[in-house]
Amino acid sequence: MSKAKKTAVTPTREENFPEWYQQVIKASDMAENSPVRGCMVIKPWGYGIWESIQRDLDRRIKETGHENCYFPLFIPLSFLEKEAAHVEGFAKEMAVVTHHRLVAEDGKLVPSGKLEEPLVVRPTSETIIGDAFARWIQSYRDLPMLVNQWANVVRWEMRPRIFLRTAEFLWQEGHTAHATAEEAMEETLRMLEVYRVMSEEVLAMPVIVGEKPAHERFPGADKTYSIEAMMQDGKALQAGTSHFLGQHFSKAQNIRYQTAQGGEEFCFTTSWGVSTRLIGGVIMSHADDNGLRVPPRIAPKQIVFVPITRADGDEALIDEFLAPVVKELSAQSFGGERLRVHVDRRPLAPPEKRWEWVKKGAPIICEVGPRDVAGGTIAMIRRDGELKGQITPKDEFVARAASILADIQNSLFTQAKTMLESRTVTVKTKDEFLSVFSGDTTFGRKFVRAKWCGDADTLAMLDELSVTVRNVPFDQDGAPGTCVLSGRPATQEVIFAKSY
């Protein structure tokens, strides 16, 4: 009987995927649960990944003409009451402030000073930004109005999971107003494409792009579009959304503009956003049984050196050897930014430090000892493959470092893309459909692409299987066919999957 391979994370993905996910977060020291139920503390390594995502996406948002701003955390209840569908969609998730001070009574603090109007802690900002747009927009000359904010939001979560579902999370939300429906739709799809490119090129996470079915639309939207990623357990993760809001919010918030001809029209608005949920997607797309594997584009530290010291004088010798190496590497660029290089000089045993960086998922981990100094070499571990050191001449490593990072980035994307393509199947019959989703296992789980009529009675069938319609992919053949669930005529193909 073969001995089980020892891994840094237990249980393994195959043994217990949900628990493996939690243990990867712990092993990589990314985040932890907070004393406030449903909330998380994002630790430096996890927040560093978010900062890398934020920097890249913020640049892309600004390049498409948007400007950053900030709106209040508290939203008057009356603002939400103006948009019934919007309120209904978020009502069960809202945190509400009703008092404005605390007083001591019998040795305890109790709320006092009831507010004249309750304030909702921001679940999303369409209503309060719409109120501002109504003041800012007077004429066609003020359009388009293109703003974005980086903020935290609160949506009360009964079954929290770090990065995936927490009561408070970080995100960006873009909001725009336009003179015509065509311009607003163009904006909606432009930002969806920004998300696709960022997800695939920066997070190395391939996605399926398409429109959400009517029952999955953002509350109050005319149309919602999404990018959907496959996690290693075969479940779907909605990684980003972009909404065409039509004139619903502009009519509710009275966002009007004077036309060039002197008439008055309501604006067409959009909203779009991604959140720290992306980090959960990175974990479940790329991590393995030894911990996290961070795509180089978002790694807080891309190249980590671990000095191997055994005798007095080794530290000074290695420092002298590494100083010009670190200087040369730090002057190079990858992905439009300087390389992020780190020498781990903590007073810990070298094997302990090496395994810590393996678990954190640093893309390149290098060990340098006295023999390496003497031979002018570096022992390099690439985190995208087997954890075997490659002895490389120092000058060759310095010359190739940026290209190695690019290769690791491409390798992680290729691995995830191969998984998505190999585990997305097209089915024609209900029996085939049921066979895919009945009694599935973590690594046997798949996405199904099939024709769907969209009728309400088919949703009940999906509920029984805990399966959802993820989106209607843009690449449609348009050929007439038969709904895989009802047998009725259908032309559109959709993606069915179990999901987070």
Side-chain angles (χ1 to χ4, degrees):
M1 183 176 179
S2 61
K3 189 176 180 181
K5 184 179 179 182
K6 187 176 180 180
T7 60
V9 176
T10 54
T12 65
R13 290 164 290 178
E14 195 158 3
E15 289 169 343
N16 187 334
F17 194 87
E19 182 59 24
W20 165 85
Y21 173 79
Q22 301 290 353
Q23 291 304 317
V24 168
I25 292 172
K26 182 178 179 179
S28 58
D29 203 32
M30 295 181 73
E32 64 184 17
N33 290 311
S34 83
V36 181
R37 188 183 183 281
C39 294
M40 61 180 168
V41 176
I42 306 177
K43 301 173 84 170
W45 188 249
Y47 198 79
I49 291 172
W50 177 242
E51 286 180 314
S52 295
I53 294 171
Q54 189 178 40
R55 275 196 312 274
D56 184 273
L57 185 54
D58 192 63
R59 173 183 59 79
R60 295 175 192 273
I61 288 170
K62 289 172 179 173
E63 286 175 352
T64 49
H66 305 81
E67 295 180 297
N68 283 339
C69 57
Y70 187 80
F71 289 85
L73 175 66
F74 303 114
I75 301 172
L77 185 62
S78 59
F79 281 28
L80 290 153
E81 288 174 336
K82 294 176 182 178
E83 227 305 317
H86 190 59
V87 173
E88 185 180 355
F90 287 107
K92 295 179 180 179
E93 302 175 345
M94 290 183 185
V96 184
V97 178
T98 57
H99 294 74
H100 65 79
R101 66 172 176 262
L102 297 172
V103 296
E105 289 184 8
D106 300 325
K108 294 183 178 181
L109 292 173
V110 296
S112 181
K114 189 173 182 179
L115 297 174
E116 289 185 14
E117 179 179 3
L119 298 173
V120 174
V121 183
R122 172 175 54 219
T124 182
S125 300
E126 277 75 10
T127 56
I128 198 163
I129 291 179
D131 178 74
F133 278 9
R135 297 192 304 274
W136 299 350
I137 298 169
Q138 301 298 320
S139 162
Y140 69 93
R141 296 183 181 89
D142 299 320
L143 298 173
M145 180 74 66
L146 310 172
V147 302
N148 175 68
Q149 80 164 343
W150 293 91
N152 60 337
V153 292
V154 172
R155 298 179 186 174
W156 219 252
E157 181 57 55
M158 302 308 294
R159 290 178 291 179
R161 186 178 296 183
I162 292 179
F163 292 124
L164 296 178
R165 289 191 178 276
T166 49
E168 180 192 15
F169 54 91
L170 306 179
W171 78 348
Q172 60 75 213
E173 51 178 319
H175 297 268
T176 70
H178 306 264
T180 68
E182 291 75 18
E183 290 175 6
M185 180 59 75
E186 183 180 346
E187 166 75 7
T188 303
L189 297 177
R190 177 186 301 115
M191 298 317 297
L192 185 71
E193 176 64 7
V194 166
Y195 289 158
R196 183 199 67 78
V197 172
M198 183 271 298
S199 178
E200 297 195 336
E201 295 185 1
V202 180
L203 308 184
M205 188 167 69
V207 293
I208 297 173
V209 186
E211 182 180 352
K212 283 287 192 182
H215 68 282
E216 293 279 358
R217 285 178 191 149
F218 178 75
D222 273 7
K223 291 181 179 292
T224 288
Y225 300 89
S226 72
I227 54 172
E228 304 284 338
M230 177 185 280
M231 303 297 96
Q232 290 182 66
D233 63 348
K235 286 187 177 181
L237 183 78
Q238 180 178 283
T241 51
S242 189
H243 315 289
F244 171 69
L245 303 176
Q247 294 180 315
H248 293 300
F249 285 89
S250 63
K251 288 179 179 178
Q253 302 292 134
N254 199 30
I255 309 170
R256 305 170 184 244
Y257 71 97
Q258 187 178 57
T259 67
Q261 292 74 35
E264 197 170 64
E265 297 286 349
F266 285 105
C267 292
F268 292 84
T269 63
T270 80
S271 67
W272 29 272
V274 296
S275 74
T276 39
R277 184 173 236 230
L278 289 174
I279 299 176
V282 168
I283 296 168
M284 292 192 291
S285 292
H286 303 305
D288 62 17
D289 294 333
N290 286 314
L292 192 58
R293 299 193 302 170
V294 186
R297 291 283 294 271
I298 59 171
K301 294 176 176 61
Q302 296 163 323
I303 302 173
V304 175
F305 288 97
V306 177
I308 307 297
T309 56
R310 294 187 175 90
D312 292 341
D314 285 355
E315 187 173 343
L317 180 72
I318 294 168
D319 276 350
E320 184 180 357
F321 176 80
L322 283 178
V325 173
V326 171
K327 184 177 180 180
E328 286 184 64
L329 289 172
S330 299
Q332 297 179 30
S333 295
F334 167 70
E337 295 184 332
R338 296 289 189 188
L339 296 192
R340 297 183 283 274
V341 186
H342 175 67
V343 180
D344 189 346
R345 296 187 175 88
R346 292 174 300 162
L348 300 172
E352 184 179 348
K353 290 193 283 187
R354 178 181 69 245
W355 270 106
E356 183 174 317
W357 291 110
V358 167
K359 290 184 286 188
K360 282 180 174 290
I364 298 176
I365 304 161
C366 299
E367 294 180 310
V368 177
R371 281 190 294 183
D372 298 295
V373 172
T377 60
I378 287 170
M380 175 189 70
I381 296 172
R382 288 177 48 148
R383 192 59 186 89
D384 61 322
E386 293 293 323
L387 301 179
K388 295 178 180 178
Q390 303 173 28
I391 305 301
T392 308
K394 176 195 68 174
D395 292 342
E396 179 183 331
F397 175 75
V398 171
R400 294 184 54 232
S403 64
I404 294 171
L405 289 170
D407 191 53
I408 294 172
Q409 183 82 24
N410 292 334
S411 169
L412 291 175
F413 178 77
T414 299
Q415 290 174 38
K417 182 76 169 176
T418 299
M419 177 184 69
L420 173 63
E421 291 176 346
S422 65
R423 293 170 67 180
T424 300
V425 297
T426 299
V427 303
K428 303 285 187 181
T429 69
K430 188 174 180 179
D431 285 344
E432 289 178 302
F433 184 91
L434 293 174
S435 71
V436 173
F437 289 116
S438 299
D440 56 358
T441 58
T442 297
F443 290 97
R445 201 173 284 139
K446 295 178 173 65
F447 282 11
V448 165
R449 181 166 180 150
K451 298 283 185 183
W452 181 55
C453 64
D455 292 346
D457 63 325
T458 62
L459 299 178
M461 302 180 202
L462 294 174
D463 285 344
E464 290 178 9
L465 295 167
S466 299
V467 172
T468 57
V469 179
R470 301 317 303 161
N471 65 20
V472 183
F474 286 158
D475 57 326
Q476 296 282 323
D477 60 18
T482 302
C483 175
V484 71
L485 296 174
S486 69
R488 302 180 193 117
T491 55
Q492 68 177 4
E493 288 184 329
V494 304
I495 298 296
F496 296 96
K498 296 195 174 184
S499 65
Y500 285 95

